[in-house]
């Protein structure tokens, strides 16, 4: 299945903004000029993607975040110098589009600061037609998948906990993700005492 990516003409001129809502917050992996808390309206952060590579395998999938329809998402916008744009986009495609589960899109995001400023940012949105789209899962299903998931980038539970820690550092609370992390933390504490 071909990854849904933007054509060169769909990118704005000059510096590129990239919207991070999951692991990009704590591990961007590309050079940027600045980062600002940002809010994207129209999609929300959701553990709605089965991970077959980074945090799971086809036999034992894990679960990673996607932007899914509805609501809003508080994240981080990174400003990338125009001269680094091509290399950054190539890096992000290699990282995010391994299995083509995301749609690469430009979205309006509101930067938080002295004056709320709206910019167009590159974002990776869940492709609901892809077979790795998990949709809405119960907390028990999420917990089971995250517990079993282990892929090329390591254990799935580390991904969830690192994301929640990064969100907290930004002053952001994502109730479902925090609840899941608390359950995973509880298990980690349990294992330390046994």
């Amino acid at each position: 299945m071909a990854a849904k990516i933007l054509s060169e003409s769909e990118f704005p001129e000059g510096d590129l903004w990239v919207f991070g809502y999951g692991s990009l917050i704590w591990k961007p992996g590309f050079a940027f000029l600045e980062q600002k808390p940002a809010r994207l309206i129209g999609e929300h952060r959701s553990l709605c993607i089965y991970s077959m590579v980074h945090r799971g395998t086809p036999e034992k999938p894990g679960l990673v975040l996607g932007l899914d329809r509805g609501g809003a998402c508080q994240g981080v916008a990174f400003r990338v110098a125009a001269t680094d744009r091509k290399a950054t986009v190539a890096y992000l495609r290699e990282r995010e589009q391994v299995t083509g589960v995301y749609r690469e899109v430009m979205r309006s995001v509101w930067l938080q600061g002295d004056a709320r400023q709206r910019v167009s940012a590159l974002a990776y949105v869940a492709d609901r037609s892809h077979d790795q789209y998990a949709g809405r899962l119960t907390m028990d299903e999420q917990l089971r998948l995250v517990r079993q998931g282990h892929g090329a980038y390591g254990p799935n539970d580390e991904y969830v906990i690192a994301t929640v820690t990064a969100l907290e550092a930004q002053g952001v609370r994502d109730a479902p993700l925090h609840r899941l992390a608390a359950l995973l933390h509880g298990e980690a504490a349990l294992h330390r005492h046994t």
Side-chain angles (χ1 to χ4, degrees):
M1 185 179 290
K4 291 166 185 68
I5 60 173
L6 295 165
S7 66
E8 193 53 38
S9 63
E10 291 175 278
F11 286 101
E13 291 288 310
D15 294 349
L16 174 72
W17 286 93
V18 176
F19 183 71
Y21 55 87
S23 62
L24 284 180
I25 297 175
W26 49 272
K27 191 183 172 191
F30 55 86
F32 54 89
L33 301 171
E34 63 175 324
Q35 67 178 75
K36 290 189 171 207
R39 185 172 173 81
L40 183 147
I41 296 169
E43 273 132 352
H44 65 284
R45 178 180 15 253
S46 173
L47 276 172
C48 64
I49 306 285
Y50 292 119
S51 179
M52 312 289 194
V53 178
H54 295 331
R55 298 293 174 170
T57 61
E59 301 74 39
K60 285 192 166 184
L63 209 51
V64 291
L65 293 162
L67 282 175
D68 206 359
R69 221 176 277 158
C73 180
Q74 191 68 37
V76 174
F78 299 93
R79 184 166 64 91
V80 174
T83 50
D84 292 333
R85 182 169 60 111
K86 266 194 170 62
T88 301
V89 170
Y91 163 77
L92 288 170
R93 284 177 179 164
E94 196 175 299
R95 172 174 164 168
E96 303 297 329
Q97 295 290 58
V98 181
T99 59
V101 70
Y102 296 105
R103 286 185 304 118
E104 187 179 82
V105 297
M106 295 303 293
R107 286 286 186 268
S108 285
V109 298
W110 294 92
L111 304 179
Q112 287 172 321
D114 307 334
R116 280 183 30 155
Q117 179 193 356
R118 193 174 79 164
V119 297
S120 190
L122 175 62
Y124 288 88
V125 174
D127 178 356
R128 288 180 155 214
S129 68
H130 197 283
D131 57 7
Q132 279 175 252
Y133 175 71
R136 273 186 189 275
L137 299 171
T138 66
M139 188 58 67
D140 285 347
E141 289 169 319
Q142 289 180 28
L143 196 56
R144 182 183 66 77
L145 288 160
V146 169
R147 268 192 206 129
Q148 81 174 10
H150 196 293
Y153 284 15
N156 203 167
D157 59 347
E158 281 180 9
Y159 165 89
V160 171
I161 290 166
T163 301
V164 167
T165 303
L167 289 172
E168 284 174 347
Q170 298 283 333
V172 175
R173 187 160 177 81
D174 185 307
L177 212 50
H178 273 74
R179 195 159 50 249
L180 183 63
L183 292 167
L184 293 167
H185 268 307
E187 288 176 4
L190 226 62
H191 293 303
R192 280 199 301 270
H193 299 301
T194 53

